[in-house]
Amino acid sequence: MNYRKVIDLQRQFFNTNATKNISFRVKELKHLKHVLKKNEALLYESIYKDFKKSEFETYTTELSIIYNEIDLALVKVKKWSKKKKASTGLANLPGKSYIIPEPYGTVLVIGAWNYPYQLSLCPAIAAIAAGCTVVLKPSEVPSHTAATMAKLINQNFGPGFFKVIEGGVQETTEILTVKFDKIFFTGSVAVGKIIYEAAAKHLTPVTLELGGKSPAIITNDVNIDMTAKRLVWGKFLNAGQTCIAPDYVLVASDIKDELLSAVKKYIEKAAYHVDNQNYTQIINDKNFDRIENLIEKDKVYIGGDCKKEERVITPTVLVNVEFSDKVMQEEIFGPILPVLTFDTIEEAIKKVNSLSKPLSFYIFTKSKSIKNKVLNEISFGGGAVNDTLMHFTEHTLPFGGVGNSGIGNYHGKFGFDTFSHYKGILQKPFWIEPNLKYPPYSATKLKWLKRILG
């Protein structure tokens, strides 16, 4: 495929200014929702072929989030796109100042494989709401969902506005040689660095949604049963293939055994299995082998069963884990939960801060002072107090990483902002112009300028 021709076509369409019309954006977003709703059965079938992911989990973790993003944009896009007043300093009176949001232009969205619909289409929705044209490159790893998105988008939208390009590393590498006005990538740190380097050659701004080892700190004053329930759900959803899943637990030493017992209870109660429609396969053999290699059999508290022919690894909890262990050297991205302990909150904070800044962070505590201390002293993308994952569902909160876990954010208005440039404008009338700034200069003029400008 001639990728440059596709991008040139999109740039030509963007330059017609059609996408800057709010009614056009609304019409296209409504059409996108209609296409997805009409083809839900195909979306469910495709993702089941890739993951054995159930209709229930596909709707709750993928489609419902996509629909909510569309619905919010439909209601708010007119307000988001309005010129906004800004204050004007004394030096520029009687002028007025304002800010105009404008779309970046032609953008590239590169999606991730673990939530293939949501992590591809939500950024695209934000870009459309902002008035951009979109080239979407979904991950090739879940091949059926990638093909389905290509079919639905390419058959229902003009290629000059919204186009899906399929392919793997070679195709992505070729696409990145073309200049875009913005690139949005979700995926690994390693690939994020490649994207960033390619974008730098064109001075293209990027948003990178990456990952990292997201910790959960649990103090000894918590409701252990509720903590375990929320922890187990957040960790083993999608078989742990979630970028914001709690990657490891740091629990107060004196409640470790009680927490482990409660975690085991909720794992057994859930009866995780693909046939029970509450569990998924590991995406491919490569990832299966990588995850299996992280399990030290003598440290397994529960789980540890690996069925390669089915690409299933049972929910696994590891104990007696040290920060030097193999499982602590990389993001797990699978159904393994290492449990470590701490004696003081200062010790826990020091351990977390010894690793790269995580995408998410979870603190379970009843103590306001401990909560404030960890939120103040640990840098992370976003997170929750006494829960896991659910901060992702709030469109009023920015979602994104910091440091190694990412650059920039999105969701709701933050997504609109990510794909928009804000032009600052000063407007002045013709009828008056003080002579203070014009030559000839004098001591008197300087005196007045110091008064005005401070």
Side-chain angles (χ1 to χ4, degrees):
M1 179 183 290
N2 188 331
Y3 300 119
R4 193 173 299 278
K5 184 176 180 181
V6 173
I7 283 76
D8 286 345
L9 184 65
Q10 290 219 342
R11 205 174 296 284
Q12 289 169 18
F13 182 70
F14 179 79
N15 288 336
T16 67
N17 293 314
T19 65
K20 294 181 180 179
N21 190 306
I22 304 301
S23 62
F24 174 87
R25 304 182 206 178
V26 168
K27 176 173 69 72
E28 297 301 325
L29 287 170
K30 286 182 176 178
H31 184 50
L32 176 58
K33 185 175 181 181
H34 171 75
V35 169
L36 295 175
K37 284 278 190 181
K38 183 179 178 181
N39 291 279
E40 272 193 8
L42 177 59
L43 295 169
Y44 292 137
E45 177 187 342
S46 300
I47 203 167
Y48 187 82
K49 288 178 180 178
D50 288 327
F51 283 97
K52 290 206 159 121
K53 190 169 183 176
S54 70
E55 182 175 325
F56 183 94
E57 287 200 2
T58 301
Y59 182 81
T60 55
T61 66
E62 306 243 22
L63 298 186
S64 70
I65 296 172
I66 292 168
Y67 295 152
N68 285 335
E69 281 288 310
I70 293 175
D71 291 343
L72 180 70
L74 290 173
V75 172
K76 298 288 189 178
V77 65
K78 187 175 182 180
K79 179 181 178 181
W80 293 342
S81 304
K82 278 185 177 179
K83 176 176 73 178
K84 295 166 180 63
K85 292 181 180 178
S87 61
T88 303
L90 185 61
N92 284 307
L93 292 178
K96 61 181 179 179
S97 301
Y98 48 91
I99 301 166
I100 301 175
E102 69 172 10
Y104 267 119
T106 294
V107 305
L108 172 64
V109 173
I110 303 177
W113 59 258
N114 55 322
Y115 291 90
Y117 297 139
Q118 181 220 126
L119 296 178
S120 294
L121 292 176
C122 281
I125 290 162
I128 291 170
C132 298
T133 62
V134 182
V135 173
L136 171 60
K137 165 58 184 68
S139 171
E140 74 282 6
V141 177
S143 58
H144 296 93
T145 57
T148 293
M149 282 188 281
K151 175 183 177 182
L152 296 182
I153 300 303
N154 294 343
Q155 289 183 357
N156 288 281
F157 294 88
F161 170 60
F162 192 8
K163 172 74 174 179
V164 174
I165 295 176
E166 293 183 86
V169 174
Q170 181 179 339
E171 288 77 11
T172 303
T173 302
E174 290 179 23
I175 293 170
L176 288 170
T177 64
V178 184
K179 177 178 172 57
F180 286 88
D181 298 304
K182 171 83 180 189
I183 296 175
F184 188 108
F185 168 76
T186 304
S188 70
V189 174
V191 178
K193 291 178 180 180
I194 295 171
I195 302 295
Y196 206 4
E197 184 178 1
K201 293 176 182 178
H202 299 292
L203 294 180
T204 299
V206 299
T207 295
L208 302 176
E209 296 294 342
L210 308 176
K213 296 189 75 64
S214 298
I217 292 179
I218 302 171
T219 63
N220 61 6
D221 63 348
V222 297
N223 179 320
I224 292 177
D225 192 74
M226 185 59 72
T227 297
K229 185 176 185 178
R230 292 171 177 171
L231 185 65
V232 166
W233 175 80
K235 176 61 187 182
F236 298 111
L237 181 72
N238 204 38
Q241 299 168 113
T242 303
C243 57
I244 56 172
D247 194 90
Y248 65 99
V249 168
L250 273 169
V251 59
S253 301
D254 52 351
I255 65 162
K256 180 194 75 171
D257 292 340
E258 289 181 79
L259 178 72
L260 286 171
S261 179
V263 165
K264 181 179 180 181
K265 179 184 78 172
Y266 278 107
I267 290 174
E268 291 173 344
K269 185 176 181 179
Y272 287 108
H273 197 283
V274 291
D275 291 342
N276 292 337
Q277 300 190 350
N278 63 358
Y279 207 53
T280 62
Q281 293 177 316
I282 304 303
I283 184 62
N284 57 22
D285 289 341
K286 178 182 176 181
N287 276 278
F288 182 96
D289 293 341
R290 178 188 61 80
I291 297 167
E292 183 181 28
N293 194 42
L294 297 177
I295 300 174
E296 293 186 52
K297 295 298 184 182
D298 61 335
K299 295 189 176 185
V300 172
Y301 175 78
I302 185 174
D305 297 326
C306 302
K307 304 171 183 176
K308 187 165 185 177
E309 67 281 1
E310 300 173 25
R311 296 204 319 268
V312 170
I313 297 175
T314 58
T316 301
V317 178
L318 301 182
V319 293
N320 303 318
V321 177
E322 302 291 338
F323 269 73
S324 58
D325 288 353
K326 184 166 51 179
V327 75
M328 295 301 294
Q329 302 308 305
E330 62 180 75
E331 183 180 5
I332 296 168
F333 224 69
I336 304 173
L337 183 63
V339 177
L340 301 92
T341 61
F342 67 90
D343 294 317
T344 67
I345 194 63
E346 289 77 15
E347 177 192 349
I349 291 171
K350 185 178 180 180
K351 286 181 175 179
V352 172
N353 284 339
S354 70
L355 303 178
S356 297
K357 297 176 181 180
L359 179 57
S360 294
F361 171 76
Y362 307 107
I363 173 69
F364 289 82
T365 186
K366 291 180 181 178
S367 169
K368 184 177 180 180
S369 62
I370 289 178
K371 176 200 72 174
N372 291 337
K373 183 177 179 65
V374 297
L375 294 182
N376 182 56
E377 296 183 16
I378 296 175
S379 180
F380 55 94
V385 177
N386 300 332
D387 204 354
T388 61
L389 273 60
M390 293 305 290
H391 63 292
F392 185 89
T393 67
E394 290 296 330
H395 65 75
T396 56
L397 298 177
F399 178 78
V402 60
N404 256 38
S405 58
I407 300 171
N409 50 57
Y410 71 124
H411 283 189
K413 172 68 160 53
F414 301 98
F416 178 90
D417 293 343
T418 286
F419 290 99
S420 299
H421 166 66
Y422 283 83
K423 293 190 291 193
I425 306 295
L426 171 67
Q427 180 176 325
K428 298 180 79 172
F430 287 113
W431 61 270
I432 188 171
E433 177 69 350
N435 286 318
L436 285 175
K437 68 181 181 184
Y438 297 104
Y441 301 140
S442 68
T444 301
K445 283 186 176 182
L446 180 59
K447 181 180 177 180
W448 277 104
L449 280 171
K450 285 183 177 181
R451 287 183 179 181
I452 295 170
L453 301 178

